[in-house]
């Protein structure tokens, strides 16, 4: 059966830009190191502190089981959700959950597929739809409930930041995995990039992470999961290049981009602390994952990304669980058709 042609989507690129922002923050250390301050975990924060205005009445983490929410946390372990906001279409349909384990010197990032099936009352039960039911706070709430862990903080980035950040570090060397040949006159989007190594400008990098398929329907064998893989490889390239002292002379221009395009409940001192951790950890200890599941799943005749409960539980316990005790399947809220 012929698959319907799908438009490329900007929020994926914006989410990639969100991670770029974290790497860029390391450049601020030289100016603000004396103001460095470790963030306060959600379990220790006043309720509703610094939450996005559109859903301040909601309390991310409230859905956690009492047994887990009262558990003792690991030292210097923080979680936060990165979201990409589409400047033109609105919403956030690509999200990345980040765990910073400063004690053990590693950063883990997991891509949360936008079509992930949620156990909610809405007719469209996809993760990307959470934004339209309560803003980014609702997205934080659903990720927290889904995985059974608190989401301590958030960072959202506008799509326009992507091009500017890549250009600010003078482009990125990247191996394009497939020939990309796509035109969409309605979005004024034209992608024509051959496979192979290339030094990408900001605009070209945006095209690479937005691309889904060619005009003839050819694309990633695993659809969105394949594109997530490309995005993660791109992030590794950005991390390697950004975490270099040679980029410190670009502090001023990068700081302006961050100020204009980033929204977060973290204070500058917290961002500097995270920057210190990233610099200490280095790009070789930043690891990327994809939430395990089936992209060809269905629920009531609708296509969804259905999580694998056992594999998801193992991944969360290994890389993203901020508690000293292990989670069980009862702590998570994964629906399986």
């Amino acid at each position: 059966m012929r698959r319907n042609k799908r438009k490329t989507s900007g929020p994926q690129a914006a989410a990639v830009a969100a991670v770029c922002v974290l790497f860029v923050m390391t450049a601020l250390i030289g100016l603000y190191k004396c103001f460095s301050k470790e963030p306060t975990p959600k379990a220790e924060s006043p309720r509703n502190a610094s939450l996005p205005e559109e859903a301040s009445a909601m309390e991310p983490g409230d859905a956690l089981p009492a047994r887990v929410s009262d558990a003792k946390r690991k030292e210097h372990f923080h979680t936060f959700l990165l979201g990409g906001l589409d400047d033109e279409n609105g919403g956030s349909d690509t999200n990345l959950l980040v765990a910073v384990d400063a004690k053990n010197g590693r950063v883990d990032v997991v891509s949360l597929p936008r079509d992930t099936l949620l156990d909610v009352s809405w007719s469209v039960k996809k993760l990307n739809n959470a934004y339209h039911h309560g803003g980014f706070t609702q997205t934080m709430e659903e990720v927290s409930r889904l995985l059974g862990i608190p989401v301590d903080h958030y960072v959202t980035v506008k799509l326009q930041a992507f091009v500017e950040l890549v250009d600010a570090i003078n482009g990125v060397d990247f191996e394009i995995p497939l020939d990309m040949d796509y035109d969409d006159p309605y979005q004024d989007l034209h992608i024509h990039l051959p496979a192979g190594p290339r030094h990408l400008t900001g605009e070209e990098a945006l095209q690479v992470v937005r691309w889904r398929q060619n005009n003839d329907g050819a694309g990633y064998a695993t659809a969105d999961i394949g594109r997530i893989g490309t995005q993660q490889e791109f992030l590794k390239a950005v991390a390697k290049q950004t975490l270099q002292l040679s980029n410190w002379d670009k502090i001023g221009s990068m700081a302006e981009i961050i100020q204009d395009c980033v929204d977060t409940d973290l204070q500058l001192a917290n961002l500097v602390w995270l920057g210190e951790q990233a610099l200490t950890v280095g790009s070789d200890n930043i690891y990327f994952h994809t939430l395990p599941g089936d992209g060809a799943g269905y629920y009531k005749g609708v296509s969804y990304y259905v999580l694998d409960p056992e594999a998801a539980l193992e991944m969360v316990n290994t890389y993203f669980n901020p508690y000293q005790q292990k989670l069980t399947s009862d702590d998570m809220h994964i629906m399986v058709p």
Side-chain angles (χ1 to χ4, degrees):
M1 181 174 66
R2 185 180 178 182
R3 295 173 60 186
N4 292 330
K5 196 169 186 178
R6 300 173 68 182
K7 292 183 178 180
T8 60
S9 177
Q12 281 80 4
V16 175
V19 177
C20 295
V21 166
L22 297 183
F23 302 147
V24 166
M25 290 300 177
T26 63
L28 296 174
I29 296 173
L31 293 180
Y32 299 107
K33 187 171 182 179
C34 61
F35 299 110
S36 175
K37 180 181 179 182
E38 184 172 357
T40 303
K42 180 67 67 179
E44 301 172 16
S45 300
R47 291 189 172 184
N48 290 331
S50 302
L51 293 176
E53 183 177 349
E54 70 269 17
S56 59
M58 300 180 181
E59 300 172 5
D62 279 0
L64 295 176
R67 182 181 72 78
V68 174
S69 61
D70 293 334
K72 188 174 181 180
R73 289 188 59 135
K74 300 172 184 175
E75 293 182 352
H76 312 302
F77 193 107
H78 304 274
T79 63
F80 51 97
L81 191 65
L82 302 179
L85 302 185
D86 191 341
D87 303 343
E88 297 180 357
N89 300 320
S92 171
D93 72 354
T94 290
N95 299 285
L96 307 173
L97 179 66
V98 179
V100 177
D101 185 353
K103 184 175 181 180
N104 293 306
R106 65 179 291 146
V107 175
D108 287 277
V109 183
V110 61
S111 298
L112 310 176
R114 62 181 193 160
D115 292 341
T116 298
L117 176 62
L118 300 178
D119 186 6
V120 292
S121 60
W122 321 319
S123 58
V124 180
K125 304 178 185 297
K126 298 184 177 183
L127 178 60
N128 70 322
N129 201 34
Y131 188 90
H132 301 290
H133 288 268
F136 202 64
T137 299
Q138 185 69 51
T139 304
M140 293 171 66
E141 169 74 15
E142 296 306 331
V143 171
S144 178
R145 191 165 72 102
L146 180 72
L147 302 181
I149 59 175
V151 178
D152 296 325
H153 300 284
Y154 72 90
V155 178
T156 63
V157 180
K158 296 178 182 178
L159 178 59
Q160 69 189 66
F162 184 85
V163 173
E164 296 179 18
L165 285 171
V166 172
D167 285 339
I169 58 174
N170 296 326
V172 175
D173 292 324
F174 187 67
E175 181 91 17
I176 299 176
L178 298 167
D179 288 333
M180 299 181 175
D181 183 21
Y182 180 83
D183 296 280
D184 185 346
Y186 295 100
Q187 296 188 79
D188 192 24
L189 177 63
H190 305 280
I191 302 174
H192 301 286
L193 298 169
R198 188 184 182 99
H199 186 77
L200 299 174
T201 65
E203 288 288 350
E204 291 171 336
L206 177 62
Q207 293 175 8
V208 168
V209 298
R210 292 188 73 177
W211 182 80
R212 289 178 183 272
Q213 63 181 26
N214 288 328
N215 293 323
D216 62 3
Y220 295 114
T222 52
D224 275 351
I225 302 305
R227 184 167 59 164
I228 286 174
T230 294
Q231 292 172 355
Q232 292 176 348
E233 289 302 315
F234 180 80
L235 285 173
K236 294 175 185 178
V238 172
K240 184 177 181 179
Q241 183 160 329
T242 306
L243 296 179
Q244 296 177 356
L245 295 180
S246 60
N247 279 317
W248 282 33
D249 63 339
K250 305 176 182 69
I251 289 175
S253 60
M254 291 190 290
E256 289 180 4
I257 296 170
I258 292 169
Q259 182 178 0
D260 293 339
C261 302
V262 175
D263 181 37
T264 179
D265 62 346
L266 290 163
Q267 299 175 355
L268 175 61
N270 302 146
L271 294 172
V272 173
W273 183 87
L274 289 171
E276 289 180 284
Q277 308 317 307
L279 186 62
T280 301
V281 166
S283 60
D284 290 340
N285 292 307
I286 300 175
Y287 303 92
F288 295 89
H289 316 268
T290 300
L291 206 58
D294 181 10
Y298 280 85
Y299 176 72
K300 293 186 176 181
V302 178
S303 176
Y304 284 94
Y305 187 85
V306 179
L307 297 187
D308 180 332
E310 293 184 2
L313 176 63
E314 181 179 1
M315 175 177 287
V316 171
N317 271 326
T318 303
Y319 304 114
F320 300 95
N321 181 8
Y323 299 113
Q324 293 184 9
Q325 69 184 78
K326 286 191 173 183
L327 301 175
T328 70
S329 57
D330 291 337
D331 299 319
M332 307 178 82
H333 202 82
I334 296 176
M335 183 167 69
V336 179

